[in-house]
């Protein structure tokens, strides 16, 4: 790179900010991120036992930065391309990185507020912030390569948005396509508690029968389910799933409001429900669930056995326990690195070919 390249780059950045679009996006980003943190850390739901408002707020800001990166870099480059025309690859790439990093910088105060509000650990904010910054470089590379390879500004913009859609929506489309595969038939036999037939007295602490009896003949139900294990690794290529997989998911014990919170006499304490603590964990648990194979054998669901083991026939409020999903799956971070690397290799190979043909013409 020539010695006058750096001052030229700074001059370009200054000129781009003065166009108004980039500055406007930064102002909106800064204000929105602070507003999100303020609403989250001050909400009653986020401050309930078993939750972590700071961690939740931090994940909101990180996801906002990802959205700004995915949409903001190619949008700002529309104005930059019109003002400056086609630039060298290095110049274009560094400018694209500067646009993306600026979204991270202006959201830093909001991130710091979220981290300090409940003491979010370095094991959470450092890896996710690092993965987010890596995504800035990846998206900047796709945008810069598009504008370097194509002489037409409009064609470069369309190509950049298409490639970004490919890396974000592409994995989701692959998973959606897998739903058209032949489903797995799953049969469930449920032994229900026989309420009102010798089950009294009730436990005053739980509201369930002290000596329950279940039906002798189970109720059989059949469900058709899709097995996504064959495409489970693809979802980690998505930037949101990739950043979410950069840390271990965290699960909290959330206690739902009971009858006493609604002005009624409490009949039984509300059981705790295992829930993800933030958006990172929510997305990662959902991604990991694709790794769990669908059981084709008959499943036995015995409410009496559950009551004896868990103290309730409806553990986790009848929902699948995210801790079981985590225990039976693996992080998709490495799969995400491989998937994004493969996507970049293919995209850059196509763009280099377009550039070479254009120069020969």
């Amino acid at each position: 790179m020539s010695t006058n390249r750096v001052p030229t780059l700074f001059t370009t950045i200054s000129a781009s900010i003065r166009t108004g679009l980039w500055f406007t996006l930064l102002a909106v980003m800064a204000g929105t991120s602070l507003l999100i943190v303020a609403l989250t850390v001050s909400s009653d739901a986020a401050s309930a036992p078993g939750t972590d408002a700071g961690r939740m707020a931090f994940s909101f800001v990180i996801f906002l930065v990802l959205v700004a990166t995915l949409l903001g870099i190619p949008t700002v480059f529309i104005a930059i391309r019109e003002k400056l025309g086609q630039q060298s690859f290095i110049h274009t790439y560094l400018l694209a990185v500067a646009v993306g990093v600026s979204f991270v910088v202006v959201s830093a105060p909001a991130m710091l507020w979220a981290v300090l509000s409940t003491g979010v650990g370095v094991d959470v904010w450092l890896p996710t912030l690092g993965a987010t910054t890596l995504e800035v470089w990846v998206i900047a590379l796709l945008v810069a390569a598009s504008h370097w390879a194509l002489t037409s500004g409009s064609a470069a913009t369309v190509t950049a948005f298409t490639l970004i859609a490919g890396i974000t929506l592409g994995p989701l489309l692959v998973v959606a396509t897998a739903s058209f595969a032949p489903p797995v038939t799953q049969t469930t036999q449920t032994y229900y508690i026989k309420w009102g037939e010798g089950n009294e007295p009730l436990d005053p602490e739980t509201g369930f029968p002290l000596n329950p009896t279940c039906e002798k003949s189970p109720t059989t139900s059949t469900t058709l389910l899709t097995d996504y294990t064959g495409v489970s690794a693809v979802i980690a290529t998505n930037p949101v799933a990739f950043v979410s997989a950069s840390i271990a998911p965290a699960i909290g014990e959330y206690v739902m409001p009971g009858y006493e919170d609604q002005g009624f006499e409490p009949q039984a304490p509300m059981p705790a429900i295992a829930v993800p603590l933030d958006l990172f964990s929510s997305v990662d648990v959902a991604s990991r669930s694709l790794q769990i194979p669908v059981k084709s054998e008959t499943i036995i669901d015995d409410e009496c056995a559950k009551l004896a083991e868990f103290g309730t026939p409806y553990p986790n409020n009848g929902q699948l326990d995210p801790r079981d999903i985590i225990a039976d799956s693996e992080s998709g971070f490495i799969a995400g690195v491989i998937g994004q690397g493969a996507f970049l290799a293919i995209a850059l190979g196509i763009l280099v070919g377009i550039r070479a043909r254009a120069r020969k013409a």
Side-chain angles (χ1 to χ4, degrees), residues 125-352:
W125 64 260
L126 183 58
T128 53
L129 184 58
T132 301
T133 304
L134 178 61
E135 289 305 298
V136 168
W137 288 80
V138 169
I139 301 304
L141 182 57
L142 293 175
V143 173
S146 299
H147 283 271
W148 167 77
L150 298 165
T151 56
S152 170
S154 57
T157 299
V158 171
T159 301
F161 275 111
T162 300
L163 291 176
I164 291 173
I167 201 172
T168 54
L169 302 181
L172 303 181
L173 291 177
V174 171
V175 173
T177 302
S179 64
F180 292 99
V184 177
T185 301
Q186 186 178 88
T187 302
T188 303
Q189 292 184 344
T190 305
Y191 292 86
Y192 292 105
I193 291 177
K194 298 174 66 175
W195 291 90
E197 299 183 24
N199 294 322
E200 285 72 21
L202 301 179
D203 188 329
E205 293 186 0
T206 66
F208 297 116
L210 287 171
N211 300 300
T213 57
C214 277
E215 298 173 339
K216 295 181 179 179
S217 300
T219 299
T220 302
S221 60
T222 301
T223 308
L224 298 178
L225 300 173
T226 301
D227 192 321
Y228 292 102
T229 53
V231 297
S232 59
V234 178
I235 196 66
T237 304
N238 175 278
V240 174
F242 176 75
V243 172
S244 298
S246 64
I247 59 173
I251 307 300
E253 295 282 346
Y254 175 68
V255 180
M256 297 181 63
Y259 290 101
E260 63 273 18
D261 294 332
Q262 304 175 28
F264 299 99
E265 288 295 328
Q267 298 180 3
M270 300 299 291
I273 301 175
V275 294
L277 283 180
D278 52 30
L279 290 183
F280 300 134
S281 302
S282 297
V283 172
D284 196 39
V285 168
S287 301
R288 283 169 174 254
S289 66
L290 301 178
Q291 303 177 26
I292 311 299
V294 177
K295 297 180 180 179
S296 57
E297 66 269 17
T298 300
I299 297 175
I300 304 299
D301 185 8
D302 191 327
E303 290 190 349
C304 288
K306 287 182 177 179
L307 180 58
E309 181 178 357
F310 302 105
T312 171
Y314 320 111
N316 210 51
N317 201 31
Q319 303 173 12
L320 188 62
D321 195 322
R323 292 168 296 195
D324 294 336
I325 296 176
I326 296 171
D328 296 334
S329 62
E330 298 179 353
S331 170
F333 186 75
I334 299 301
V337 171
I338 296 173
Q340 291 200 4
F343 185 90
L344 285 175
I346 295 172
L348 293 178
I350 294 174
L351 292 174
V352 168

Side-chain angles (χ1 to χ4, degrees), residues 71-86:
L71 301 179
I73 295 179
T75 300
V76 170
F77 251 82
I78 296 175
I80 293 177
R81 180 65 181 261
E82 291 177 352
K83 185 178 182 64
L84 303 177
Q86 191 175 28

